[in-house]
Amino acid sequence: MNYQRILPIPALQQYVRYFGVLESDDAGAGKSFGIVADGCPGLIFQENPDAFLDHSGNVLPQLFLHGLTTKHSGKTTKGSFRNIGVYFQSHAIKAIFGTDACELTNRYVDLQTLLNNDLASQLLEATSTGKKIQILSLFLCDRIDQNKHREDQRTAWTLERIIKQGAETSLPKIQAELDLSERSLERIFKTDIGISPKLFTRITRFQSSLNHLRSQKFDSLTDVALSNLFYDQSHYIREFKEFAGVTPKQFLRQAHEQAVNFPEWRA
């Protein structure tokens, strides 16, 4: 199995973190992918339209848009596959597609259902990965130009503060500086991002701890927990299991046994 990341063109960097290409020519037994909460939406194109199943066993659309994931889930494959994904910035759903982000939280939708277009056909006809990414890039640029919605600057400011400050983020302080009630900030954030600022902050802290685990630069789970401002190791384990579906120790063990190295991938 091969995985490749490709950076977007400058015009898309405000909206797209990167493109990802995931492929396997193994036509034998299927594979399982663990999906964890990561706070980012995406767009996935499958060259083999029947290759991936969601956690309920339903075949995923050939080209689909998904919102933020706030809980663990899983995907399984049937044989060989080759997928190209767009890994968006957190605010991209509303900014690019004009849809309230909360409508797609923990959900996916066939892009053909959302937008009547021939993008899937164009991607199938393209003969190279570079051409497919060029087609996706042009499509996204066109959507951004056509979309009349502009991200609320209060959302953008709050998002930047949470990402920068992580677990040290003080939402009451943010509310005071914006002169907004907790409910008003939550309503704005759900529209543009898809979830509440409090939940996004928790997921950001979880992701920080996940990166800490991957780095293998720690002596114990207590070190990871305290470094990421969890109350204690027990609190860390509970939060980790809620967002990843396994404990930190189980995640580390599975990382050496199966394909959980791409938790941001939504195949």
Side-chain angles (χ1 to χ4, degrees), residues 97-192:
F97 299 96
T99 301
D100 284 356
C102 55
E103 294 183 10
L104 285 177
T105 300
N106 293 319
R107 295 182 57 235
Y108 62 84
V109 61
D110 189 328
L111 195 66
Q112 181 69 24
T113 301
L114 185 66
L115 303 170
N116 187 16
N117 62 76
D118 63 346
L119 181 60
S121 298
Q122 293 181 48
L123 292 170
L124 280 172
E125 292 173 2
T127 56
S128 69
T129 298
K131 182 61 176 178
K132 293 179 193 296
I133 290 178
Q134 182 182 28
I135 291 170
L136 284 167
S137 298
L138 289 173
F139 166 75
L140 294 172
C141 286
D142 286 344
R143 287 300 311 169
I144 293 166
D145 289 342
Q146 295 174 25
N147 186 10
K148 296 180 180 180
H149 172 79
R150 291 294 177 264
E151 183 182 10
D152 192 310
Q153 290 304 305
R154 295 170 296 183
T155 303
W157 188 79
T158 302
L159 185 64
E160 182 180 1
R161 289 284 292 272
I162 292 174
I163 292 174
K164 183 178 180 179
Q165 298 179 355
E168 296 181 343
T169 302
S170 171
L171 292 177
K173 185 176 180 179
I174 288 175
Q175 293 159 19
E177 292 185 35
L178 292 175
D179 193 24
L180 288 174
S181 67
E182 179 180 0
R183 181 171 295 183
S184 295
L185 180 60
E186 183 173 307
R187 182 176 62 252
I188 295 169
F189 212 78
K190 283 186 174 181
T191 297
D192 284 348

Side-chain angles (χ1 to χ4, degrees), residues 30 45-54 57-64 76-83 124 267:
F45 168 70
Q46 305 185 82
E47 288 190 356
N48 179 354
D50 301 318
F52 273 84
L53 309 177
D54 65 17
N58 301 310
V59 175
L60 289 165
Q62 185 159 39
L63 179 63
F64 64 93
T76 56
T77 68
K78 299 189 299 181
S80 60
F81 60 86
R82 188 169 187 272
N83 290 2
L124 280 172

Side-chain angles (χ1 to χ4, degrees), residues 201-219:
T201 301
R202 289 176 59 208
I203 292 174
T204 299
R205 178 172 60 180
F206 158 71
Q207 279 290 319
S208 176
S209 76
L210 194 61
N211 290 332
H212 198 161
L213 282 183
R214 291 197 189 103
S215 74
Q216 299 184 5
K217 297 178 180 179
F218 58 90
D219 295 323

Side-chain angles (χ1 to χ4, degrees), residues 221-232:
L221 288 181
T222 298
D223 291 340
V224 179
L226 297 181
S227 295
N228 292 280
L229 301 183
F230 291 92
Y231 297 130
D232 51 33

